[in-house]
């Protein structure tokens, strides 16, 4: 087991993130885009959670290109198990790093809610 919640709070994390780190980090194993601009995310402990992306999909942000459902649905997991989108799907983001928008797996867990009934 890792450090305590109090330890992570002493390092400047908020209580929710401190509790996450104290319980052990999770790895994303699958992501499915939903028609309501949410993501169903599966973690390495088998847990499924829903992340609402609508608040992020606003003009002027890095997520603006994915406001159209067809573009939002191009989500994928990269080699580091981060949730990603390629801004231009014809460009290899492994070659042109500035083409990829990604989400931190830790924040995906903390900012999502459990899928009920699974």
């Amino acid at each position: 087991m890792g450090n305590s919640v109090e330890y992570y709070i002493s390092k400047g994390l908020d209580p929710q993130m401190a509790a996450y780190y104290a319980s052990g980090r999770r790895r994303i194993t699958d992501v499915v885009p939903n028609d309501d601009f949410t993501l169903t995310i599966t973690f390495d402990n088998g847990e499924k959670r829903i992340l609402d992306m609508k608040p992020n999909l606003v003009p002027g942000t890095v997520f603006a290109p994915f406001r159209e459902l067809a573009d939002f649905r191009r989500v994928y997991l990269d080699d580091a198990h981060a949730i990603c989108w390629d801004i231009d799907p014809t460009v290899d983001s492994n070659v042109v790093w500035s083409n990829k928008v990604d989400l931190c797996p830790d924040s995906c867990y903390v900012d999502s809610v459990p899928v009920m009934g699974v």
Side-chain angles (χ1 to χ4, degrees), residues 39-107:
L39 300 170
T40 301
I41 306 169
T42 305
F43 291 88
D44 59 353
N45 63 352
E47 187 175 0
K48 289 187 182 229
R49 297 177 68 91
I50 299 290
L51 180 64
D52 185 358
M53 289 298 298
K54 289 184 289 298
N56 301 74
L57 300 172
V58 295
T61 69
V62 296
F63 294 103
F66 313 110
R67 294 176 67 208
E68 296 295 324
L69 186 57
D71 296 323
F72 179 77
R73 294 184 71 71
R74 291 190 283 110
V75 68
Y76 66 95
L77 290 181
D78 69 5
D79 294 340
H81 297 268
I83 293 174
C84 304
W85 291 266
D86 293 330
I87 296 167
D88 181 344
T90 66
V91 174
D92 184 350
S93 289
N94 292 319
V95 176
V96 181
W97 67 269
S98 61
N99 187 55
K100 181 165 67 173
V101 176
D102 60 2
L103 297 171
C104 170
D106 301 324
S107 294

Side-chain angles (χ1 to χ4, degrees), residues 5 8 13-28 39 41-43 45 47-53 56 83 103-114:
V5 172
Y8 289 110
L13 296 179
D14 66 56
Q16 187 178 16
M17 190 62 83
Y20 165 77
Y21 275 100
S23 69
R25 297 176 73 187
R26 309 290 189 279
R27 190 172 113 198
I28 298 173
L39 300 170
I41 306 169
T42 305
F43 291 88
N45 63 352
E47 187 175 0
K48 289 187 182 229
R49 297 177 68 91
I50 299 290
L51 180 64
D52 185 358
M53 289 298 298
N56 301 74
I83 293 174
L103 297 171
C104 170
D106 301 324
S107 294
C108 287
Y109 188 88
V110 171
D111 295 339
S112 61
V113 296

